[in-house]
Amino acid sequence: HGADAYTGYILTLFFFILAMNFLGLVPFGSAASGNFMVTGALALVTFIVVEISGMRALGFQGYMKTIFYAPPGLNPVGTAIMLVILTPVEFLGKLTKPFALMIRLFANMLAGHTLVLSLLGMIFMFASGGAVIAGGVAAASVTMVIGIMLLEVFVAFLQAYIFAMLTAVFIGLIRHAH
């Protein structure tokens, strides 16, 4: 319920990340999503949107119950113990979600590009080994790079989808906290 207000943000995230990922597939291009500062900025904006949407949907007091939570029906000592234990856990959970988004996108994009560059680097490593060896390594390396690049197209779509979908899930979770 109320998801229509966030459709623009989610779609903007998806297409922005997808465009950044595709720029990394262009020869001599670099994916901005392979930089942790860019993915960190995306995660920070997502964190702000999630927390503000939760505060708007639940009100200030309801929002604070997502951090300071104790199950109803406990005696005062049990409530105090639960608050001491659960408050840091809930607070760290709020910070961990966007951090996980940031690391997931950054690591996957960086790993793919590192693999492609490593495979291409094999050509130069074996260049002094003779024409037959260098030619065989070059052919195998280029073949593997083409396969990895096709996989990178899939990964570009997948990472944009995962970031956008998890953002939508986080917004839905905070708006309908129990």
Side-chain angles (χ1 to χ4, degrees):
H1 302 288
D4 294 342
Y6 301 96
T7 304
Y9 175 68
I10 301 298
L11 288 175
T12 300
L13 264 180
F14 176 79
F15 287 112
F16 181 71
I17 293 170
L18 186 63
M20 284 192 308
N21 292 346
F22 277 157
L23 284 175
L25 299 177
V26 174
F28 304 109
S30 176
S33 53
N35 183 339
F36 75 94
M37 295 303 280
V38 173
T39 58
L42 288 171
L44 179 64
V45 171
T46 296
F47 173 74
I48 291 168
V49 167
V50 167
E51 298 308 314
I52 288 176
S53 69
M55 199 173 294
R56 287 178 61 200
L58 302 172
F60 183 75
Q61 188 174 9
Y63 173 78
M64 284 298 151
K65 286 182 182 177
T66 65
I67 299 172
F68 303 102
Y69 177 74
L74 289 176
N75 61 26
V77 174
T79 300
I81 291 171
M82 291 301 282
L83 284 174
V84 167
I85 294 171
L86 286 181
T87 300
V89 171
E90 294 293 333
F91 183 73
L92 287 174
K94 287 186 177 296
L95 298 177
T96 303
K97 289 176 188 176
F99 182 74
L101 286 174
M102 175 185 81
I103 296 299
R104 179 182 291 116
L105 180 59
F106 166 70
N108 282 306
M109 298 316 299
L110 183 66
H113 293 20
T114 303
L115 181 60
V116 168
L117 291 175
S118 298
L119 289 172
L120 287 175
M122 287 175 47
I123 296 171
F124 301 105
M125 287 177 52
F126 290 98
S128 63
V132 174
I133 293 174
V137 169
S141 179
V142 169
T143 303
M144 287 188 289
V145 165
I146 290 171
I148 296 296
M149 290 298 278
L150 292 174
L151 184 63
E152 282 287 305
V153 171
F154 172 71
V155 169
F157 274 103
L158 183 66
Q159 289 305 313
Y161 174 76
I162 288 173
F163 197 101
M165 185 57 67
L166 285 177
T167 299
V169 167
F170 295 156
I171 290 172
L173 286 173
I174 193 80
R175 290 180 51 81
H176 303 289
H178 292 77

